Amino acid sequence: MVARVRVPAVVRPAEVFVVRIAIQHVMETGFRLTDTGRPIPRNVIHTLAVRYGGQEVFRAELGSGVAANPYLEFPVQAVASGPMVFEWVDDAGIRGSETVAITVAG
Amino acid sequence: MSRPSPARSGLVFAGPTVRALQADDFANPGMLWVERGQKLWSEPVGPSRRSCGSCHADALRGAAASLPAVDAATGRLVNLESRIQACQAQRQGIEPAAHESDALLALSAYVAYQSRGMPVRVEVDGPARPYFERGRASYHRRIGQLNLACSHCHDANWGRRLGPETISQGHGVGYPAYRLEWQALGSLHRRFRSCLSGVRAEMLPQGHPDYLALELYLAWRASSLPVETPAVRR
């Protein structure tokens, strides 16, 4: 699972900045059939959690209504320099994670 | 020999949402494949542990803009995907990635992305001529139960609507491209198959010599349009 995360290179203390994440995933709805008529089991990323500065700053519960290769963005307030850790899991139990460095200066 | 003039990318005929998605390098889902391709590009594989990058220092900037081309060694017409497969088999000594596999899409998207913005310019004379003529002939040949040629839609009726879509000039400069209908990145040959199934014609396997020749003819029609990979389409 490939993911891309984008955050500003540097943020000021207490600045509210935008975090963007895109994850490559089929987000299989569970409503589709194969060519031979068998149901394709649902497989979506159902949970995405983001931690930064010692606490969870964002959590999303996703479902069948989300298109493939989900893209999310959310605001976060800068506290201190340190890692921001993204973790997600899909219906098949496959986990993915990504870490970016947040640099607070100024 | 005629081709639509001025040449206009399919992007011009796409809706505002599609255009916005393509313009935003972060939101464009095709960039996920480019990212994966970049990883594969620098991965040492095979018995001699060679990565693509160990032989191709500049990531082949410009290469995608001049393919398909005739391979001097075999005299055959090759496109970007078949070039990559040949390097995997002959230079890396590994099983080449299958057509339309995620790995081949990722690598071809990554290599084509290095040519983004560069004008398409393919050789159609010399040894390429017979392939070009073959592509031109199949482009103008009526096919399928609807008995239509590519030219009926993409030369004679571009700009007109067909159901929910506006018919474009049928250029392949953005492929592999992310189609919202596919919810994935797909190759130009996969797009051919969509058009062929639209006119209820027989579909050929990916990488078929007829598709390669058609690809060469399309690249000539698109001359001077910039490479757009990874494009976003409906």
Side-chain angles (χ1 to χ4, degrees), chain B residues 64-81:
Chain B
S66 51
L67 288 168
V70 173
D71 173 30
T74 60
R76 292 221 187 94
L77 187 68
V78 290
N79 67 356
L80 179 58
E81 286 85 349

Side-chain angles (χ1 to χ4, degrees), chain B residues 2 4 19 23 31 52 63 82 101 111 122 124 141 187 189 193 199-200 204 223 231:
Chain B
S2 68
R19 286 207 299 273
M31 291 301 289
C52 314
S82 48
S101 63
V111 174
V122 287
V124 296
R141 188 180 306 126
S187 70
H189 291 194
R193 289 166 61 96
V199 296
R200 296 196 213 114
L204 299 170
S223 292

Side-chain angles (χ1 to χ4, degrees), chain B residues 36-234:
Chain B
R36 166 123 200 267
Q38 183 174 18
K39 292 194 176 118
L40 294 173
W41 177 263
S42 41
E43 217 169 78
V45 293
S48 51
R49 312 292 300 155
R50 304 280 325 232
S51 68
C52 314
S54 70
C55 289
H56 301 292
D58 60 350
L60 295 167
R61 188 168 156 70
S66 51
L67 288 168
V70 173
D71 173 30
T74 60
R76 292 221 187 94
L77 187 68
V78 290
N79 67 356
L80 179 58
E81 286 85 349
S82 48
R83 267 291 190 206
I84 294 172
Q85 290 172 320
C87 276
Q88 290 178 318
Q90 291 153 25
R91 317 264 174 195
Q92 294 182 306
I94 60 170
E95 183 69 30
H99 283 292
E100 221 59 33
S101 63
D102 230 38
L104 190 56
L105 288 169
L107 277 170
S108 51
Y110 174 69
V111 174
Y113 177 66
Q114 309 307 316
S115 297
R116 190 161 75 161
M118 298 175 75
V120 170
R121 202 195 167 88
V122 287
E123 185 58 70
V124 296
D125 289 318
R129 199 67 195 179
Y131 295 106
F132 176 76
E133 293 302 344
R134 178 174 175 176
R136 183 156 67 118
S138 52
Y139 187 83
H140 294 278
R141 188 180 306 126
R142 287 179 179 272
I143 43 165
Q145 287 175 5
L146 301 193
N147 205 29
L148 290 171
C150 314
S151 53
H152 286 120
C153 287
H154 295 299
D155 285 359
N157 282 302
W158 59 265
R160 297 224 175 95
R161 290 186 73 81
L162 183 71
E165 310 208 78
T166 304
I167 302 174
S168 74
Q169 295 177 352
H171 296 300
V173 296
Y175 288 77
Y178 191 90
R179 273 191 76 197
L180 301 177
E181 186 186 315
W182 294 335
Q183 297 266 295
L185 201 77
S187 70
L188 181 60
H189 291 194
R190 183 172 179 194
R191 176 67 244 191
F192 288 172
R193 289 166 61 96
S194 301
C195 285
L196 290 167
S197 103
V199 296
R200 296 196 213 114
E202 200 185 321
M203 285 187 266
L204 299 170
Q206 305 235 357
H208 190 281
D210 278 352
Y211 282 6
L212 293 174
L214 204 45
E215 189 176 339
L216 179 64
Y217 182 73
L218 286 197
W220 170 81
R221 283 176 81 244
S223 292
S224 82
L225 279 180
V227 174
E228 269 174 44
T229 311
V232 179
R233 295 289 185 267
R234 206 167 160 274

Side-chain angles (χ1 to χ4, degrees), chain A residues 2 4 20 24 68-69 71, chain B residues 24-26 31 33 178 183:
Chain A
V2 183
R4 303 175 74 220
R20 308 169 89 192
Q24 188 182 17
N69 309 302
Y71 164 81
Chain B
D24 181 340
D25 263 356
F26 192 82
M31 291 301 289
W33 277 260
Y178 191 90
Q183 297 266 295

